[in-house]
Amino acid sequence: MPDNKTFSDDQKLTFIDLFAGIGGIRLAYEKAGAQCVFSSEWDKFAQKTYEANFGELPEGDIRKIDAVTIPDFDILCAGFPCQPFSIAGVSKKLSLNKPHGFDDETQGTLFYEVLRIIRAKKPSAFFLENVKHLERHDRGRTFAIIKKSIENEGYSFFYKVINANKLVPQNRERIFMVGFRDQDITFNFPEIPDLKPKIIQILEDDVPEKYTLTDHLWNYLQNYAEKHRKKGNGFGFGLVNTESYCRTLSARYYKDGSEILIPQEGKNPRRLTPRECARLQGYPDTFKIPVSDTQAYKQFGNSVAVPLIEILAREVVRTLQPECETEAVAKQAPLSKFGVKPSE
């Protein structure tokens, strides 16, 4: 393994953006002063949004990309999808003298592609994001495999579940994993400032009528919720208190918007607009939305809370360059510029 890389104070760190989606992680790392040198995203609609905002079309399916063609970089960033890991049958494979363990168990999974590129390119650091359930999936065995496999490549491994609701007005818990090839580096997840964001801060002033629920859909949602209430279940729509935060925005929001509904005086509640969804994830209003409402809802539901990623990205950059406060970081706009106005 090559010696650990050292960085001069004026050197700009580089990163790659895997499973890039619409570029939320990229936006945050660029705000932290780093430079993106490669991106990959297979979904054609997400590619369209990414290209509209960053001026480049991401490479397609990561499984078809030879690591040799990826430029050298310092930080691997990936919000990889979590697919089930098969653990069963190790004893049987041992008895048959067949491959087993990590390499065998994860063939075909998308995390394996992250590991493949780490192994080939040996970056100085990695930054991974996933749903918080990853830590408990398959009674913790999936996460244990991920952690051990990265450590086996010679990296440290730090992780933490963090809720973005101090920065954006939604309950959004995610697990973040950070590690360094220099195992003498200690990484501390930073404290998250509480901006006390409220839903009312991300709402548009003039919303088209098409976002108001029809009588048919509103009656259906109310009846559905009542049916489950009688059964003692918690299923139902989420009518938002606009002075607080809301439920997690999901990729299924396009179906009926039921998890986050905005009350309206004298008429049925409405769903969020795509721009409001962008703001809910901390995207600036300059972020272009060149796709249909349906695709936009999916994209923002699958995305990251940008202000939270920015804080973590700054700490990763600072950890690699402890003596360097880059001009880009020093002059960056406050976090409230990410679509969430400061509380009065």
Side-chain angles (χ1 to χ4, degrees):
M1 178 180 293
D3 293 336
N4 291 316
K5 185 175 179 179
T6 58
F7 302 93
S8 62
D9 289 354
D10 59 354
Q11 184 177 0
K12 201 164 194 176
L13 295 173
T14 57
F15 68 95
I16 64 171
D17 192 14
L18 304 182
F19 309 102
I22 58 175
I25 291 178
R26 174 171 179 163
L27 191 60
Y29 265 82
E30 288 184 340
K31 285 284 289 180
Q35 178 183 356
C36 185
V37 295
F38 177 84
S39 60
S40 170
E41 168 57 46
W42 72 273
D43 183 87
K44 65 180 182 180
F45 298 105
Q47 283 182 328
K48 182 177 181 180
T49 300
Y50 196 102
E51 184 178 28
N53 286 281
F54 299 103
E56 68 179 61
L57 186 69
E59 297 289 331
D61 190 340
I62 191 64
R63 294 170 296 184
K64 299 177 181 178
I65 296 173
D66 188 339
V68 173
T69 66
I70 298 175
D72 290 339
F73 59 92
D74 301 313
I75 308 166
L76 180 146
C77 297
F80 68 96
C82 177
Q83 297 178 332
F85 287 67
S86 174
I87 314 287
V90 171
S91 296
K92 182 177 181 180
K93 290 175 182 177
L94 277 171
S95 67
L96 296 173
N97 198 29
K98 289 186 176 181
H100 68 91
F102 182 80
D103 281 343
D104 182 59
E105 290 160 358
T106 61
Q107 291 295 337
T109 70
L110 293 174
F111 171 73
Y112 184 83
E113 301 304 318
V114 172
L115 188 68
R116 173 176 67 89
I117 294 171
I118 287 177
R119 181 178 295 149
K121 304 298 291 187
K122 295 180 171 54
S124 296
F126 65 83
F127 177 90
L128 307 178
E129 179 267 353
N130 213 293
V131 294
K132 73 168 185 174
H133 180 66
L134 176 65
E135 187 180 5
R136 304 189 309 274
H137 182 262
D138 195 16
R139 292 182 287 182
R141 287 180 287 192
T142 295
F143 190 70
I145 288 174
I146 289 172
K147 181 175 183 291
K148 183 178 179 181
S149 65
I150 289 179
E151 290 174 338
N152 285 345
E153 295 301 320
Y155 287 78
S156 58
F157 191 95
F158 305 90
Y159 68 95
K160 187 174 184 179
V161 173
I162 305 176
N163 197 329
N165 64 1
K166 290 182 178 181
L167 302 172
V168 293
Q170 66 167 309
N171 186 56
R172 195 174 194 87
E173 290 184 284
R174 292 293 185 266
I175 190 166
F176 298 95
M177 296 155 275
V178 177
F180 302 88
R181 193 151 57 89
D182 182 350
Q183 296 192 39
D184 291 332
I185 289 177
T186 298
F187 180 80
N188 296 307
F189 283 91
E191 289 296 317
I192 307 302
D194 191 355
L195 300 184
K196 295 182 169 50
K198 303 173 183 178
I199 285 293
I200 197 168
Q201 295 167 298
I202 61 108
L203 299 183
E204 294 191 88
D205 294 328
D206 187 17
V207 176
E209 192 64 26
K210 68 176 183 176
Y211 295 104
T212 296
L213 300 190
T214 64
D215 290 340
H216 175 76
L217 178 54
W218 179 223
N219 288 333
Y220 168 80
L221 291 176
Q222 291 179 95
N223 292 336
Y224 180 83
E226 178 63 17
K227 180 179 70 173
H228 281 283
R229 186 192 67 79
K230 290 179 178 178
K231 292 181 179 180
N233 299 328
F235 304 118
F237 59 86
L239 198 60
V240 172
N241 173 2
T242 58
E243 291 297 316
S244 185
Y245 57 82
C246 64
R247 296 178 181 180
T248 303
L249 179 68
S250 72
R252 69 167 298 282
Y253 190 74
Y254 75 94
K255 292 183 177 180
D256 55 27
S258 62
E259 68 249 43
I260 305 172
L261 293 175
I262 305 302
Q264 299 185 103
E265 189 174 352
K267 57 182 178 179
N268 297 343
R270 67 172 179 86
R271 68 184 68 193
L272 295 168
T273 68
R275 177 57 63 192
E276 290 168 340
C277 289
R279 292 174 177 177
L280 191 61
Q281 291 284 43
Y283 284 81
D285 282 353
T286 53
F287 192 84
K288 301 179 182 68
I289 307 175
V291 293
S292 68
D293 283 5
T294 295
Q295 291 300 327
Y297 286 137
K298 290 180 181 180
Q299 290 174 7
F300 290 115
N302 277 328
S303 188
V304 295
V306 178
L308 176 56
I309 304 298
E310 184 199 340
I311 288 177
L312 300 180
R314 277 194 248 153
E315 190 63 22
V316 172
V317 169
R318 189 201 65 78
T319 300
L320 288 172
Q321 295 178 314
E323 304 302 323
C324 176
E325 181 73 8
T326 66
E327 183 177 346
V329 174
K331 293 184 176 180
Q332 65 186 305
L335 286 167
S336 59
K337 295 296 184 183
F338 276 118
V340 178
K341 306 167 191 172
S343 296
E344 299 296 335

